[in-house]
């Protein structure tokens, strides 16, 4: 109890000096848990949505782990999730603004968590729309251009082109509509396994080679050649 009183008098009426360090560490740790968060979201689906962000176990876990790490560096900080649990936390912080600071950081983490989930959902929608457009063109062997997403590609035994300017030399590569479709789908799926952000397609060339169709993502630095 004496140590708690010392802590209370040390920070009373001031902005806690640990606030910014703790906040940054929590945000970075949450970002590093993106894959785990999305795995949990995929497993729980609508159940997680209905539960709402306030029940996020990952945010609570992140806050507890970072506070423990911070406390190991500054022994004056109390153990908020120690034997006394929530009661101990309120006992330590009821006379100053630290409770409000923790609530503010928690809300920021919940917002980050929802942003990750929303971006994942947008990417899922993009993939579904692309796959749907591919399926719709199956009978006519049409493939929507991945760069402009509006025109159908012209696919021949020697080249692939689009009115938007895309032109890829495919001579000797035996690229058919089915082959191209599978290549595009596999690259999109490969990227989505590790990143929830939407990739983009582009074409580029250099002095020693013909243009290549590329897929990239600025969020995760993913870059791959489609063909």
């Amino acid at each position: 109890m004496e140590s708690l009183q010392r802590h209370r008098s040390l920070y009373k009426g001031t902005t806690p000096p640990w606030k910014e360090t703790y906040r940054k560490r929590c945000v970075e740790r949450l970002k590093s848990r993106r894959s785990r968060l999305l795995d949990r979201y995929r497993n729980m689906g609508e159940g997680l949505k209905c539960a709402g962000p306030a029940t996020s176990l990952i945010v609570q876990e992140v806050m507890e782990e970072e506070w423990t790490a911070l406390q190991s560096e500054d022994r004056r900080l109390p153990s908020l999730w120690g034997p006394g649990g929530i009661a101990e936390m309120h006992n330590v912080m009821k006379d100053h603004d630290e409770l409000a600071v923790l609530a503010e950081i928690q809300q920021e983490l919940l917002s980050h968590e929802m942003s990750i989930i929303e971006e994942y959902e947008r990417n899922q929608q993009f993939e579904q729309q692309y796959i749907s457009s591919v399926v719709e063109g199956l009978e006519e062997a049409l493939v929507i251009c991945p760069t402009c997403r509006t025109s159908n590609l012209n696919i021949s035994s020697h080249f692939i082109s689009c009115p938007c300017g895309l032109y890829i030399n495919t001579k000797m590569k035996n690229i058919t509509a089915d082959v191209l479709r599978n290549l595009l789908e596999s690259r999109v799926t490969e990227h989505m396994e590790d990143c929830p952000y939407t990739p983009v397609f582009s074409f580029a060339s250099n002095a020693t080679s013909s243009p290549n169709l590329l897929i990239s993502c600025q969020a995760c630095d993913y870059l791959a050649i489609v063909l």
Side-chain angles (χ1 to χ4, degrees):
M1 177 62 70
E2 183 179 349
S3 63
L4 300 184
Q5 292 294 339
R6 285 201 304 269
H7 174 83
R8 183 178 301 163
S9 61
L10 182 64
Y11 297 135
K12 184 174 182 179
T14 66
T15 298
W18 47 261
K19 175 183 177 181
E20 193 59 24
T21 298
Y22 181 58
R23 186 192 70 80
K24 288 181 178 179
R25 288 185 180 185
C26 285
V27 170
E28 290 304 313
R29 185 178 288 264
L30 181 62
K31 288 180 179 179
S32 72
R33 300 285 172 87
R34 174 184 291 162
S35 295
R36 183 174 172 183
L37 169 62
L38 293 179
D39 284 342
R40 180 169 177 261
Y41 177 73
R42 283 190 288 264
N43 290 334
M44 296 188 67
E46 292 299 321
L48 183 61
K49 275 187 176 180
C50 294
T55 61
S56 172
L57 295 178
I58 290 181
V59 166
Q60 179 180 338
E61 183 180 275
V62 164
M63 293 184 71
E64 290 181 9
E65 290 175 358
E66 282 304 328
W67 185 267
T68 300
L70 199 64
Q71 187 198 25
S72 68
E73 300 170 12
D74 185 352
R75 293 297 180 181
R76 294 173 300 177
L77 296 176
S79 178
L80 302 190
W81 286 274
I86 297 298
E88 181 177 350
M89 179 175 71
H90 282 272
N91 187 44
V92 173
M93 296 188 168
K94 64 184 179 181
D95 290 335
H96 44 68
D97 295 332
E98 289 181 285
L99 275 176
V101 169
L102 286 177
E104 176 187 332
I105 293 173
Q106 181 186 45
Q107 190 56 50
E108 180 178 353
L109 295 175
L110 291 172
S111 296
H112 276 294
E113 182 183 68
M114 289 307 299
S115 295
I116 292 172
I117 292 174
E118 288 169 359
E119 185 64 32
Y120 170 78
E121 289 180 332
R122 285 195 294 270
N123 203 31
Q124 284 285 95
Q125 185 178 16
F126 162 77
E127 184 183 30
Q128 289 300 320
Q129 289 174 342
Y130 181 78
I131 292 175
S132 296
S133 68
V134 168
V135 172
E136 290 173 0
L138 281 176
E139 293 183 0
E140 301 177 45
L142 299 178
V143 178
I144 300 295
C145 176
T147 58
C148 69
R149 304 183 194 174
T150 56
S151 302
N152 294 322
L153 292 174
N154 179 16
I155 304 173
S156 73
S157 59
H158 289 77
F159 64 86
I160 295 173
S161 65
C162 175
C164 72
L166 181 145
Y167 183 92
I168 307 292
N169 188 331
T170 58
K171 189 176 182 180
M172 307 300 292
K173 292 184 180 180
N174 194 30
I175 300 296
T176 64
D178 286 338
V179 170
L180 177 59
R181 190 178 296 114
N182 289 333
L183 287 172
L184 292 170
E185 290 181 15
S186 64
R187 286 304 190 190
V188 170
T189 301
E190 178 183 77
H191 168 263
M192 287 190 62
E193 289 178 354
D194 299 312
C195 178
Y197 293 91
T198 303
V200 296
F201 290 92
S202 60
F203 59 99
S205 62
N206 55 52
T208 60
S209 65
S210 60
N212 293 114
L213 180 61
L214 308 175
I215 180 174
S216 61
C217 176
Q218 292 185 347
C220 67
D221 295 326
Y222 175 82
L223 176 64
I225 296 176
V226 179
L227 60 87

